Amino acid sequence: MTAVVRIDGPLSPMDDRVGPDWDPSSGGLSPSEGTLHSTDESLLENAEVSYVNDDVEELTDELRHQFGLFPDEEQELSAALKAFGHGAKTFDQARLERLATDRQATSEHVFSFETFAKKNGFEAKFSSEILSRPLLSTNDKVSRKVAPRIFQAIQRFMEHNGEVLTRLENRPKTSVMNRVCQSMNPTFPKGSSSTSSSSSSSSSSSPSSVSSFSLISETKNLGLDSHNSGDRSPATPDSSRSSFSDLTGTGSDPDDPDAIPRAEMDLVHYIIAHGIIRPRLRDEIVCQLCCQVTDNPSPKSRERGWMLLALCAGCFLPSNELIDHYFAFLHNAPAQVSDFARYIMVVLRRTNANGIRYHPPSWIELQAVKLRRYPVLQVELADGRVIPVESDPATSAWEMCLSTASAIGVKDHFGFSIYVGAQRKISSLGSGSDHVMDAICECEQMLRVDEGIGEERSPWRIFFQKEMFTPWHDPDVDHESTNLVYRQILGGIRRGEYALLPEEVPKVAARIFYIEHGHKVNFDLISSKIDDYLPKMMLADPKSRDHLVRSVLTAFETRGYSVGILNAQQVKGQVVSVATNLWPLNFSAMFEALRHSGPPLASSDVILAVNGDGVFILDGHFKILLGFHYYDLVDCFVGSENDPKRSTVGFVALDGNQFRFLTPSASIVHRIVSVYLEGLRRRSRWAVALQSFQLQDYTGGSGDDFRLMQGDIVEMVDEGRRRHRPLHPSWLYGRCERTRVEGSFPSDVVYVLPTIDRPDERFLSVFLSMEVDQMKSLPSNAKTDLILSSGTTGRHLANALDSFA
């Protein structure tokens, strides 16, 4: 179950929006960016948390099977996608629910923030002085050094002493998050931009985007430490003011890792980045803010302090020692800011449910908090539609996928993912637990650092697209899904993202013309419209263009499209099915990995591409180093799942070779591949005999004698086409290709091939030459008790089975 914020109240006109192109004076916004969801009253006052089932809707087992996933497969894949990223919740969700909804749980004096402050030796009230040491005593040298700087940054953001924040031209050349990482960890690469070149890829240079955001992985590598209170000693604001340079290093170079920023957005990033990276500082930041909003004489300064508390709640949580006192503080908030307090309690529960953030708030989050609204992000579809999706700081790619699919009526939503792009770069967030706002923040910082574009003008975009198919995908099941994927393919072909072989161009183009223009297609129509569907480079030469037009017309006529018998929806399904075969790498989930063991490869740094065809090992240039169709794989296993830094995923090939790869995504790769292998075996019609088997029927009730030899190919027969009934419910029934005889056999005498289509003879011939030990190593169905009808004698593994009623 996932917490989803629901807002009661009517929507205001769409001109009340906030996004990267938002202008406070005009309210205008480009259609690609975020908006704010607003009502007649503040949404923060009406916020409440409800829980919805992660499934799109309740489906019967039969309908789920039609959609391509049995219930256990759906549950396993959903768990794999959602589990990747953030691990276990910090707190029991029920505890936070109780703290938020039951005021009496925190109303006692023992849970007041003043009690916590007194216990830790500081006063719970506003101070205009400079802080010389942390409020919370700690033995951590970094925390002691950084806490006073964070306090000064908080004072600056709250416009202490009337200091007005202005937009500075001389902003740092690197992102604040990068500089904070560098300050906290000297080994962090200096001067790097917010995103590395490998974290996103140009749509024209690679078959698919690797789901990797550089600073997300960098902050993980810093090792987020646990809370450590250390020895506590009294700490109060020091009346003797320290010089600015004492607190900020040089105080002049904006790229100095220790310099306190002056721009509003940079201050937000500076304060919250420390809390994200250094868990020991989270309580310190929350306590500093709680003090500064308590008895603050300036209403404006107090409100800006509550804004910071709200932004912090969407990125990290206080410790177990503070959480009860913090909720008591929120329950006792003054009436003027009670909406902020209720909002923070909602967001704290959402952050606990979806995990901490790896980036500070984006610009749109800051604007949303200023206006006390929830942002509504504009999700672009391949068919040109733009779907508004309500979000919050904790919104995950999984939740956004479900919301978008539900809004447009897509029921078969597996394999759709959220993509975030800026300029010509695009990265996949997948459909897991990665935060959408993290990706937006990184896009903003990448564009600011690399392109000089301010966050308020950052042209990021969000897309909802198909990323991967199940091996048994059926385009006729969900027409809305198929229509969307078809438009995605059409656009990809036109832009050159999906490259067509010369012999495939006429066939694919003929299908497109039939779908778009019906059966009345001639040379002139194709010539005038072909630019709408094929890349310009392919049509640049007039002679080649004329030849191509004629080839398309010939394919159109020879494939019977001119008769107009086929339904256009069926042909769309053909295009989608063909796409899974023509461009498997374009429809792959990709994971960065390092070769751990196994036969040598041309590169140790690899990308694991998992798609409906199999598992492919790519180098950094997306060149295939090694590929396995699913019927080539015997098993997939995972090691050290509890330690992401040492997790490995392994593959056992039919030829006996084993490969192991080191990747933090080992668990999700293992789950997807295992579900695909098992799912294909459940749906497969093809099996290979592992050893000889003979069944003789002396009653004449089951037909001819049925025999299998090692390496025989058996085609399973559907229930409605069987000549006889299986002798036992746990037995299989099939036709031996060698003898063309049908019969029953125990499930553990065959190896069911994980495939939908019959493999070629070259692959099947491998089983004929296998040794007995190799055959025994192949997985077979678990043995069950065999109950045979009276008068039937079976020989299994050369041992006679006693027959009994």
Side-chain angles (χ1 to χ4, degrees):
M1 308 290 283
T2 300
V4 177
V5 177
R6 296 201 175 200
I7 308 301
D8 298 325
L11 286 173
S12 67
M14 288 302 291
D15 58 354
D16 182 15
R17 303 185 291 183
V18 168
D21 295 334
W22 176 69
D23 180 352
S25 62
S26 66
L29 175 68
S30 64
S32 63
E33 323 302 357
T35 69
L36 289 184
H37 186 191
S38 62
T39 63
D40 294 337
E41 299 180 6
S42 171
L43 286 182
L44 306 186
E45 296 180 359
N46 297 323
E48 61 179 38
V49 172
S50 60
Y51 290 88
V52 296
N53 195 297
D54 285 331
D55 298 330
V56 171
E57 58 182 79
E58 293 297 327
L59 303 176
T60 64
D61 288 351
E62 292 77 13
L63 191 55
R64 288 181 187 277
H65 174 51
Q66 289 180 5
F67 281 164
L69 291 173
F70 288 98
D72 58 327
E73 295 169 343
E74 182 180 41
Q75 182 178 2
E76 183 70 12
L77 287 174
S78 298
L81 294 172
K82 290 186 291 182
F84 179 57
H86 303 298
K89 296 178 175 64
T90 303
F91 299 104
D92 178 65
Q93 196 72 13
R95 177 187 176 189
L96 295 192
E97 289 294 323
R98 180 179 59 84
L99 291 175
T101 57
D102 184 5
R103 186 176 183 133
Q104 296 300 317
T106 59
S107 63
E108 298 180 11
H109 179 69
V110 69
F111 285 126
S112 69
F113 181 68
E114 290 77 9
T115 301
F116 180 85
K118 184 176 180 180
K119 177 183 176 182
N120 288 277
F122 65 89
E123 292 187 85
K125 67 177 184 179
F126 170 80
S127 174
S128 61
E129 306 298 332
I130 292 292
L131 190 70
S132 62
R133 56 183 181 271
L135 295 179
L136 303 177
S137 179
T138 177
N139 292 326
D140 182 52
K141 294 181 179 179
V142 175
S143 297
R144 291 202 301 267
K145 170 187 174 183
V146 172
R149 295 174 181 163
I150 294 175
F151 187 77
Q152 184 168 348
I154 289 173
Q155 288 182 316
R156 182 170 290 171
F157 180 86
M158 294 175 66
E159 298 184 357
H160 173 60
N161 289 333
E163 180 180 3
V164 179
L165 299 176
T166 58
R167 295 181 58 183
L168 301 178
E169 299 298 331
N170 186 29
R171 293 183 69 186
K173 298 177 182 177
T174 56
S175 72
V176 175
M177 186 70 172
N178 183 283
R179 290 187 290 116
V180 171
C181 290
Q182 179 186 332
S183 174
M184 305 288 263
N185 182 4
T187 62
F188 192 83
K190 297 181 179 181
S192 62
S193 64
S194 62
T195 45
S196 63
S197 59
S198 63
S199 67
S200 56
S201 54
S202 172
S203 60
S204 60
S205 61
S206 66
S208 183
S209 302
V210 180
S211 179
S212 170
F213 281 83
S214 59
L215 278 187
I216 291 179
S217 59
E218 293 289 0
T219 51
K220 288 179 184 177
N221 293 337
L222 286 175
L224 301 182
D225 51 357
S226 59
H227 287 277
N228 182 8
S229 58
D231 297 329
R232 298 189 182 276
S233 59
T236 56
D238 193 344
S239 59
S240 60
R241 294 179 176 271
S242 301
S243 66
F244 179 78
S245 60
D246 290 338
L247 292 175
T248 62
T250 63
S252 58
D253 182 4
D255 284 298
D256 181 349
D258 292 331
I260 297 176
R262 290 184 174 274
E264 181 181 53
M265 195 77 238
D266 292 346
L267 282 168
V268 171
H269 281 205
Y270 181 84
I271 296 164
I272 296 180
H274 279 96
I276 291 174
I277 297 169
R278 199 78 171 179
R280 288 190 178 102
L281 286 169
R282 293 173 187 170
D283 282 2
E284 177 72 24
I285 295 171
V286 172
C287 286
Q288 288 184 12
L289 285 167
C290 288
C291 289
Q292 291 305 98
V293 298
T294 301
D295 299 329
N296 191 318
S298 168
K300 181 179 180 181
S301 177
R302 180 175 62 245
E303 181 170 325
R304 290 183 66 81
W306 278 98
M307 285 168 49
L308 273 178
L309 280 172
L311 292 170
C312 288
C315 293
F316 57 79
L317 298 165
S319 71
N320 186 60
E321 294 177 334
L322 179 59
I323 190 68
D324 291 329
H325 302 276
Y326 189 33
F327 270 93
F329 176 83
L330 297 172
H331 278 300
N332 293 312
Q336 303 93 318
V337 291
S338 60
D339 52 355
F340 269 121
R342 285 192 289 270
Y343 169 80
I344 291 171
M345 286 190 279
V346 170
V347 175
L348 285 173
R349 287 174 280 170
R350 291 278 293 141
T351 300
N352 185 65
N354 284 7
I356 65 166
R357 292 270 294 273
Y358 290 117
H359 282 273
S362 62
W363 184 86
I364 191 175
E365 291 176 83
L366 175 59
Q367 307 311 309
V369 169
K370 283 182 178 180
L371 298 178
R372 306 187 186 191
R373 298 288 185 266
Y374 284 96
V376 173
L377 302 178
Q378 307 299 313
V379 181
E380 300 183 37
L381 307 182
D383 58 9
R385 286 180 290 171
V386 179
I387 306 299
V389 177
E390 183 183 291
S391 65
D392 64 19
T395 298
S396 67
W398 168 261
E399 292 170 340
M400 182 158 283
C401 279
L402 286 183
S403 297
T404 306
S406 177
I408 61 178
V410 169
K411 293 182 173 60
D412 184 13
H413 62 85
F414 174 78
F416 280 95
S417 294
I418 296 298
Y419 290 77
V420 179
Q423 305 292 62
R424 291 185 59 81
K425 296 181 179 179
I426 185 170
S427 286
S428 168
L429 281 184
S431 56
S433 58
D434 281 328
H435 291 99
V436 176
M437 290 298 181
D438 273 343
I440 292 174
C441 175
E442 188 171 359
C443 284
E444 289 178 352
Q445 296 309 303
M446 177 190 70
L447 291 168
R448 185 182 72 79
V449 173
D450 296 343
E451 307 291 339
I453 301 174
E455 291 93 342
E456 71 280 6
R457 297 182 292 109
S458 181
W460 48 264
R461 301 166 70 186
I462 299 176
F463 306 93
F464 178 73
Q465 293 194 98
K466 191 75 168 179
E467 185 172 24
M468 64 186 303
F469 294 91
T470 58
W472 48 84
H473 178 76
D474 183 358
D476 292 329
V477 167
D478 186 351
H479 288 171
E480 188 64 37
S481 172
T482 298
N483 293 342
L484 198 59
V485 177
Y486 165 74
R487 288 297 167 187
Q488 178 180 330
I489 294 169
L490 199 60
I493 293 174
R494 184 174 62 251
R495 292 188 298 269
E497 296 173 14
Y498 303 155
L500 284 166
L501 296 173
E503 60 270 20
E504 295 291 340
V505 174
K507 292 183 287 186
V508 172
R511 291 189 178 102
I512 293 173
F513 270 94
Y514 183 75
I515 296 167
E516 299 297 323
H517 302 283
H519 67 282
K520 296 182 179 181
V521 171
N522 53 40
F523 182 90
D524 292 336
L525 177 63
I526 296 175
S527 181
S528 62
K529 294 292 185 180
I530 198 168
D531 297 271
D532 296 339
Y533 310 122
L534 296 180
K536 293 181 179 179
M537 184 181 302
M538 191 179 293
L539 305 168
D541 181 60
K543 292 183 179 180
S544 300
R545 177 191 176 94
D546 185 73
H547 175 73
L548 181 58
V549 170
R550 296 186 184 280
S551 299
V552 173
L553 181 59
T554 300
F556 189 92
E557 294 172 345
T558 56
R559 301 181 76 85
Y561 295 141
S562 57
V563 181
I565 298 177
L566 289 176
N567 182 281
Q569 190 65 44
Q570 291 178 303
V571 183
K572 282 185 183 179
Q574 293 175 7
V575 173
V576 172
S577 297
V578 167
T580 63
N581 297 322
L582 292 180
W583 308 293
L585 293 185
N586 290 84
F587 295 100
S588 301
M590 297 195 177
F591 308 90
E592 294 173 334
L594 183 68
R595 177 184 165 275
H596 182 273
S597 62
L601 299 173
S603 174
S604 294
D605 295 316
V606 298
I607 297 169
L608 303 180
V610 181
N611 54 51
D613 277 2
V615 180
F616 297 87
I617 317 302
L618 316 177
D619 64 12
H621 301 287
F622 296 93
K623 178 182 178 182
I624 298 178
L625 303 177
L626 184 67
F628 300 104
H629 292 289
Y630 287 113
Y631 56 72
D632 291 320
L633 293 176
V634 175
D635 193 18
C636 177
F637 59 91
V638 68
S640 302
E641 188 172 357
N642 294 329
D643 185 358
K645 294 183 179 179
R646 297 184 178 180
S647 291
T648 59
V649 62
F651 306 99
V652 181
L654 192 64
D655 59 8
N657 284 325
Q658 291 191 24
F659 292 86
R660 295 184 71 176
F661 298 92
L662 184 67
T663 172
S665 311
S667 176
I668 186 173
V669 174
H670 168 252
R671 286 185 174 185
I672 292 176
V673 174
S674 296
V675 170
Y676 279 6
L677 285 173
E678 183 60 27
L680 283 167
R681 291 190 180 107
R682 294 170 77 167
R683 296 162 173 81
S684 177
R685 294 171 48 234
W686 305 99
V688 178
L690 297 176
Q691 68 269 315
S692 297
F693 171 80
Q694 180 178 355
L695 179 68
Q696 294 178 330
D697 181 13
Y698 296 105
T699 66
S702 62
D704 301 327
D705 294 344
F706 184 74
R707 301 168 182 264
L708 292 176
M709 296 178 60
Q710 176 184 323
D712 274 351
I713 307 302
V714 182
E715 180 182 6
M716 255 71 79
V717 179
D718 293 338
E719 185 174 351
R721 297 169 49 206
R722 295 172 181 173
R723 295 171 55 191
H724 313 287
R725 295 179 59 186
L727 295 176
H728 187 269
S730 66
W731 282 31
L732 301 177
Y733 186 92
R735 179 188 300 108
C736 176
E737 283 195 347
R738 178 179 54 84
T739 63
R740 299 184 180 276
V741 175
E742 294 182 12
S744 301
F745 51 91
S747 59
D748 57 355
V749 304
V750 297
Y751 170 61
V752 179
L753 297 172
T755 182
I756 298 297
D757 301 318
R758 185 185 189 279
D760 56 37
E761 293 296 339
R762 185 177 59 177
F763 168 79
L764 295 173
S765 63
V766 172
F767 294 94
L768 296 174
S769 58
M770 272 190 176
E771 301 291 337
V772 175
D773 291 342
Q774 288 179 288
M775 280 288 192
K776 290 182 178 180
S777 67
L778 296 177
S780 62
N781 290 352
K783 293 184 179 180
T784 57
D785 294 332
L786 305 180
I787 302 176
L788 308 181
S789 300
S790 178
T792 301
T793 302
R795 289 201 298 273
H796 182 205
L797 297 177
N799 296 320
L801 297 176
D802 293 332
S803 61
F804 54 94

